[in-house]
Amino acid sequence: MEQSAVQKIAVFTSGGDAPGMNAAIRAVVRTASHFNIECYGVREGYNGLINDDFTKLGPRSVKNIINEGGTILKSARSKEFRTAEGRQKAYENLKKYGIDALVCIGGDGTFTGAKAFSDE
């Protein structure tokens, strides 16, 4: 099996809570574990990226969450992430942890933010 270029990922939920967020987090964490990819959860969406609120996740971290409502990582909207300075702080924190990829779970606002982040 070929070694993946991605060794560490981070996952977060952003915006309003929605059904299925915990199921999506669980799928990301378990898939990462299967492929021996280190996985971090980021609490409170983009705010967590900016404020360095990362926690390591593994299969035990996501045990029995599939039937829970909301999101175990909490969710938030971030005014600071809309600024270049906020996105720079988030980028520096991702680099500090050696994160290769970011999994963003949310809606239009989440993906608009992710596109701006990726473009920069």
Side-chain angles (χ1 to χ4, degrees), residues 13-22 25 44-45 68-77 105-107 110:
T13 53
S14 177
D17 285 356
M21 283 184 155
N22 278 335
I25 293 166
E44 298 186 12
E68 291 182 28
T71 162
I72 62 164
L73 294 174
K74 308 296 182 208
S75 190
R77 290 178 173 88
I105 300 169
T110 302

Side-chain angles (χ1 to χ4, degrees), residues 4-115:
S4 170
V6 175
Q7 296 298 307
K8 288 184 185 180
I9 65 170
V11 59
F12 72 86
T13 53
S14 177
D17 285 356
M21 283 184 155
N22 278 335
I25 293 166
R26 180 178 178 267
V28 169
V29 172
R30 289 173 52 107
T31 301
S33 176
H34 176 79
F35 288 102
N36 295 315
I37 297 171
E38 213 171 315
C39 186
Y40 289 85
V42 182
R43 290 192 180 96
E44 298 186 12
Y46 288 115
N47 287 333
L49 286 177
I50 293 167
N51 298 322
D52 193 6
D53 198 353
F54 290 67
T55 186
K56 193 159 185 192
L57 296 176
R60 287 180 183 233
S61 308
V62 295
K63 184 178 175 188
N64 298 322
I65 69 165
I66 202 158
N67 294 322
E68 291 182 28
T71 162
I72 62 164
L73 294 174
K74 308 296 182 208
S75 190
R77 290 178 173 88
S78 177
K79 288 185 179 181
E80 189 176 0
F81 193 78
R82 294 179 183 187
T83 68
E85 296 80 13
R87 291 188 297 273
Q88 184 62 38
K89 284 183 195 173
Y91 176 77
E92 289 167 9
N93 284 327
L94 287 171
K95 286 297 154 198
K96 179 169 100 174
Y97 287 90
I99 304 295
D100 301 309
L102 188 59
V103 179
C104 310
I105 300 169
D108 287 346
T110 302
F111 299 120
T112 299
K115 171 114 175 64

